[in-house]
Amino acid sequence: MKKLLWVGPLFAICLAAPAMAADMAVKAPVYKAAVAAPIYNWTGWYLGGNAGYGWGDAHDSMDLAGSWLTDGTGDNVPVSARGNGQLNSNGFTGGIQAGYNYQTGQWVFGIEADANYLGAKHGFFSGAFTAPSGDSYTVASSFESNWLVTLRPRLGYASDRFLVYVTGGLAIANQKFSQNITQLNVTFSEAGSISNTTVGWTAGAGAEYALDNSWSVKAEYLYVDLGSVSFSSNGNCPGGGCTDYNGTHSAHLADNIVRAGINYHFNAPVVAKY
């Protein structure tokens, strides 16, 4: 009978336990708020430097006229052949650039100006050769362009810190060109030169990567067409009487440029991407 005395209370506790558990407060799970991932924004001014290599063709041309065509010797053919298409241009290029970008969505609109040393130069010397008349000649040509300025809009597409772009616009450079014909068996020469600033165009593409909020590196290719320079020449010999040997001479630089660069961006903003 004594054993039955504690069975009742125990049974009552067991019945009450589930109800007590249901009444206990359940702690809600804790969720951490998602942290916004930073995304680079290309909007702002920048300034930097670049270095690379250029190669191309000066498209030199010699067009002989006057007595060259009428003296019956045919010497104009081998002489002019050595004054056409002999000059290429290649060399180091390097300088500074500055510009501004504006980003909306993933599209980046900008404009860039640069001023560069351009080591585009080449010389040609024919050595002595004998023409159909039996006369001996030499032909010497030279070309040089040592600075280049461009002003180019840019259109780019950004993926966070990576930007690809196309670009094109105005190109300005100096072109120096000369040609000299010398007859070796008699005293005769015909020569001239020109140095002029020309305006042309350029187009290309590139890619740029932001290392942090201030610095970026880039690589780009530009094709540059700088138009033509030309001059006229007349024969020169003792006592005169040979000026009717004349011609026109021209050069037209088209250059390919590959270069790498680095830019410093002023107050480039960073916004949050959710």
Side-chain angles (χ1 to χ4, degrees), residues 112-113 173 182 231 268 273:
E112 180 173 292
T182 302
F231 63 89
K273 177 178 69 176

Side-chain angles (χ1 to χ4, degrees), residues 14-15 27 40 54 66 83 87 101 110 125 128 159 198 205 237 252 259 261 267 269 272:
C14 290
L15 291 175
K27 187 175 181 182
Y40 189 80
L87 297 175
N101 291 320
F125 180 71
S159 178
T198 58
C237 57
H252 181 147
R259 59 192 184 187
N267 302 318

Side-chain angles (χ1 to χ4, degrees), residues 61-70 76 79-80 83-84 177-181 188-194 229-236 242-251:
S61 174
M62 178 189 291
D63 185 14
L64 299 179
S67 292
W68 284 105
L69 305 180
T70 61
N76 63 294
V79 172
S80 62
N84 284 278
F177 173 55
S178 68
Q179 286 190 322
N180 186 305
I181 304 167
F188 172 86
S189 66
E190 187 173 334
S193 64
I194 188 169
V229 291
S230 64
F231 63 89
S232 298
S233 64
N234 292 96
N236 179 46
C242 56
T243 58
D244 53 344
Y245 286 84
N246 55 71
T248 58
H249 311 258
S250 65

Side-chain angles (χ1 to χ4, degrees), residues 47-53 92-98 112-117 148 150 152 218-220 222 257-263:
L47 174 69
N50 67 82
Y53 187 78
F92 169 81
T93 180
I96 59 173
Q97 71 271 347
E112 180 173 292
D114 60 53
N116 285 264
Y117 167 78
L148 171 68
T150 75
R152 299 172 283 109
K218 72 171 187 175
E220 69 181 3
L222 293 177
I257 296 173
V258 290
R259 59 192 184 187
I262 186 167
N263 287 321

Side-chain angles (χ1 to χ4, degrees), residues 66-123:
S67 292
W68 284 105
L69 305 180
T70 61
D71 64 6
T73 64
D75 287 2
N76 63 294
V77 175
V79 172
S80 62
R82 287 162 174 80
N84 284 278
Q86 304 287 359
L87 297 175
N88 298 313
S89 64
N90 56 81
F92 169 81
T93 180
I96 59 173
Q97 71 271 347
Y100 181 81
N101 291 320
Y102 175 74
Q103 182 170 350
T104 175
Q106 289 183 280
W107 292 101
V108 178
F109 303 89
I111 188 166
E112 180 173 292
D114 60 53
N116 285 264
Y117 167 78
L118 182 64
K121 57 170 46 178
H122 190 223

Side-chain angles (χ1 to χ4, degrees), residues 144 174-177 193-197 229 231:
E144 181 178 1
N174 71 319
Q175 297 188 70
K176 301 177 182 178
F177 173 55
S193 64
I194 188 169
S195 177
N196 201 10
T197 297
V229 291
F231 63 89

